[in-house]
Amino acid sequence: YQRKESFAVALDIKLHGPLARYPVFTHSLFNTQGLTTVTNQRNLVVNFNIGGEFYLNPKWILRAGFFSNFSSYPVLEKGAVQDQDHLHMYGVTFGGTYRSSDTGTLSLILQAQYGTGQSMASWLASTGGNADGSASSEVVDARDISLVVSVGGSFDLSR
């Protein structure tokens, strides 16, 4: 919904369809026992974004939003060879835009994201301080926090 030059509110809902398990590649890296096949699979996931903007005056616009970023990767299984983390994320965005004239803008955006889930921790096995070429891995609980600062703008040279 939008009221021109006053405020706007938006909602996005994204549906990510499932994909059956399929092989990505086969390798023998760090595996002295033979070949390992890495597979990929995706589950059905629904993500959403909701946000709005408010015009303080014709030159200043403030924006805020909330979003989800749920993992479509399956839950990690012990002993599986999977290179993608399974993290369900949530985040917020805050930003502002200054319009210097009809020809230029400058924006500053902050985004914070937090999530929990599982990750695959891998390491080379060693005996007596020497790596013997075999790898070990373990499913561990994981947490992810990120903060992104963006600056952008535009300038119309045709005027």
Side-chain angles (χ1 to χ4, degrees):
Y1 178 77
Q2 178 179 356
R3 181 172 284 171
K4 190 160 178 68
E5 301 295 318
S6 179
F7 71 92
V9 177
L11 171 68
D12 282 337
I13 298 175
K14 297 177 184 175
L15 176 68
H16 302 271
L19 290 174
R21 186 178 298 265
Y22 62 93
V24 179
F25 64 90
T26 301
H27 66 87
S28 62
L29 187 64
F30 305 128
N31 186 350
T32 58
Q33 307 302 316
L35 295 176
T36 299
T37 299
V38 176
T39 61
N40 197 353
Q41 175 182 347
R42 299 294 180 99
N43 294 332
L44 177 69
V45 171
V46 177
N47 282 307
F48 65 90
N49 308 302
I50 186 166
E53 65 182 16
F54 178 73
Y55 288 73
L56 294 175
N57 58 47
K59 291 196 176 278
W60 288 97
I61 306 165
L62 296 179
R63 295 181 179 90
F66 178 77
F67 63 91
S68 69
N69 186 10
F70 300 132
S71 177
S72 63
Y73 287 101
V75 173
L76 299 176
E77 299 172 12
K78 185 175 181 171
V81 178
Q82 187 171 330
D83 62 346
Q84 295 294 324
D85 295 338
H86 179 82
L87 296 170
H88 291 313
M89 309 289 287
Y90 294 96
V92 293
T93 60
F94 298 102
T97 297
Y98 175 72
R99 294 196 294 190
S100 61
S101 64
D102 288 340
T103 61
T105 65
L106 180 63
S107 297
L108 174 67
I109 300 126
L110 303 173
Q111 175 183 312
Q113 187 169 229
Y114 173 79
T116 60
Q118 301 169 306
S119 184
M120 186 71 72
S122 301
W123 61 92
L124 288 175
S126 65
T127 55
N130 298 320
D132 64 8
S134 64
S136 296
S137 61
E138 176 180 356
V139 176
V140 295
D141 290 335
R143 215 174 318 172
D144 186 80
I145 299 171
S146 65
L147 178 64
V148 178
V149 178
S150 303
V151 177
S154 66
F155 188 75
D156 185 358
L157 296 175
S158 66
R159 293 186 181 214

